Amino acid sequence: MRSWTADAALRLRIPSSSIGKGMHAMERFGVERKFARYISQNILGMIGISAYVLADTCFISQAEGARGITALNLVLPLYSLIFAIGSMTGVGAATRFSIQSARGDRDADFYFSNAIEFAVIFSMIFVAMGAWIPDRIVAFLGGDAEIVKVGTPYTRIFMVCAPFFMLNYIFGAFVRNDGDPSLAMAATLSSSLFNIVMDYILMFPLKLGMAGAALATGLSPLVGIAVAGIHFLTRKNTIQVRWTLPDWKKLIRSWQLGTSAFVGEIASGVTTVVFNFLILGIAGNDGVAAYGIVANAAIVATAIFNGVAQGSQPLLSDYYGKNEQGSLRRVLMLSVGTAFVLSLLVILVTNQSAETLIAVFNSEQNQQMASYALQGVRLYFIGFLFAGFNIVGTGFLSATESAGWAFVTSILRGFVAIAVCAFTMSRLFGMTGIWLAFAAAELLTAVVMASVLLRRWLQ
């Protein structure tokens, strides 16, 4: 039996080659439409996650001044570590779920419950540390006696809430991979809105200070989990909750594909630790407070590119599982192009609004801190011209089971290159070298990433 398309071509005398081109164009349009839907909603969701960090910083700067910003910046690496473990577990398990579901593998049903079980296990480590030794943690991260006093209540509360952060990542990743990016976005934005509103209420009308900021942040993931959980009650849901004993093999298989998500989160934490210690020796607490402003603004920029990478991941995993190479390459091209355009916008906007951004967080009118921060914003953000490409590239490698190369590029970007560049350039150029180290590290990684992707493309 001939298809409707073939019959129509015969009657209208349309050449079969034209039919093929038309079908191909429709397929490409379908890929682009899906891509636009997934990444736009995921970028909004990721910006929502970062928005409450900015809200914390803004409110803390009003309540505690430079001391509060310094304390917050010293403990930000702990946030990054908690988010990184939750992201690696959630995104990795959700990616495995997508690939194996596309292949019809019934084993896919066990990845959701396995991710939840391990997230609870790992988060208990942070709960214990937050409950017993928060002051020692702040001191270990570089805080003096005054900063330890300000930062201890904040650290204790948000570390005790670590399970909520990790579970929120898992729910969001699985809902997004199960074809409901709109609900995943709504969950994230609802969580962030709750956090911002409660930040203000707890810190100012109720006068709870840093403890109030931590409490608002720690409870906000529960809102995200509740909203994302609606997906399990809908007809769209294909996620089966099958409880078994924690399976380390499934966890490792998940982590192999969650490496890029892990490094996407932990890289900012590692950079913050390295920069904090180097800046303390060069510019003291004012320098660290200035870097706190730069780092918090950078979290939003990083979130944008993580949104592109994680938004394209469900499509990449699905096309890879179905062996649709043309669509797979199309999504990669769209991701890289989108990242490049967004990187130019990020650099332009941050340069144009640098003084306004700094003024928002400088309630004490600290001129020395403002001077450091102004130079930092204008130099540091140059690195996103390359960072966007690296984040998207690593996401592609993870989503297509290139775990080895994803690991190599992730480690290079998140640990090796940034540490080497920061130590070397700070010795040569002081604070200017610190601000430019991020761009230098991302450029080195981009060279390696380009060669890896080109090799994959030619296979």
Side-chain angles (χ1 to χ4, degrees), residues 40 278 285:
S40 61
L278 292 175
N285 283 345

Side-chain angles (χ1 to χ4, degrees), residues 28 43 99 105 124 175 217 231 254 315 330 425 429:
R28 286 183 58 182
I43 287 174
I99 293 173
D105 189 343
M124 288 300 106
V175 169
T217 300
H231 176 76
S254 298
L315 298 176
R330 185 63 183 162
M425 297 180 71
F429 308 111

Side-chain angles (χ1 to χ4, degrees), residues 75-263:
V75 301
L76 271 180
L78 289 174
Y79 266 119
S80 296
L81 183 57
I82 293 170
F83 289 171
I85 294 174
S87 181
M88 178 169 62
T89 304
V91 172
T95 303
R96 281 291 179 197
F97 166 78
S98 292
I99 293 173
Q100 295 189 205
S101 294
R103 293 172 177 170
D105 189 343
R106 291 178 58 84
D107 203 38
D109 292 341
F110 294 96
Y111 278 94
F112 178 71
S113 59
N114 199 62
I116 290 178
E117 290 165 354
F118 276 107
V120 172
I121 292 170
F122 294 132
S123 63
M124 288 300 106
I125 299 172
F126 294 98
V127 171
M129 293 173 64
W132 294 329
I133 56 170
D135 53 339
R136 296 182 187 179
I137 293 172
V138 179
F140 175 76
L141 291 172
D144 56 25
E146 186 178 18
I147 300 302
V148 169
K149 182 179 179 181
V150 172
T152 295
Y154 187 91
T155 305
R156 174 181 290 114
I157 293 172
F158 89 76
M159 289 189 71
V160 168
C161 294
F164 306 149
F165 294 121
M166 292 190 186
L167 292 175
N168 192 31
Y169 257 107
I170 292 169
F171 272 76
F174 270 86
V175 169
R176 184 171 58 250
N177 275 263
D178 201 33
D180 204 348
S182 299
L183 185 61
M185 176 192 69
T188 303
L189 294 179
S190 299
S191 174
S192 296
L193 180 61
F194 172 88
N195 182 79
I196 292 169
V197 172
M198 293 306 297
D199 248 340
Y200 175 79
I201 293 173
L202 294 174
M203 290 189 72
F204 296 105
L206 297 182
K207 301 185 185 303
L208 294 180
M210 293 282 283
L215 190 60
T217 300
L219 295 179
S220 62
L222 292 176
V223 177
I225 292 170
V227 175
I230 295 172
H231 176 76
F232 294 85
L233 305 177
T234 67
R235 293 181 179 180
K236 292 182 179 179
N237 177 48
T238 65
I239 303 169
Q240 300 297 317
V241 184
R242 299 183 183 276
W243 298 104
T244 62
L245 292 175
D247 188 331
W248 282 96
K249 289 184 179 179
K250 284 188 174 59
L251 178 69
I252 298 302
R253 283 175 57 80
S254 298
W255 278 2
Q256 287 174 337
L257 302 186
T259 303
S260 64
F262 176 85
V263 176

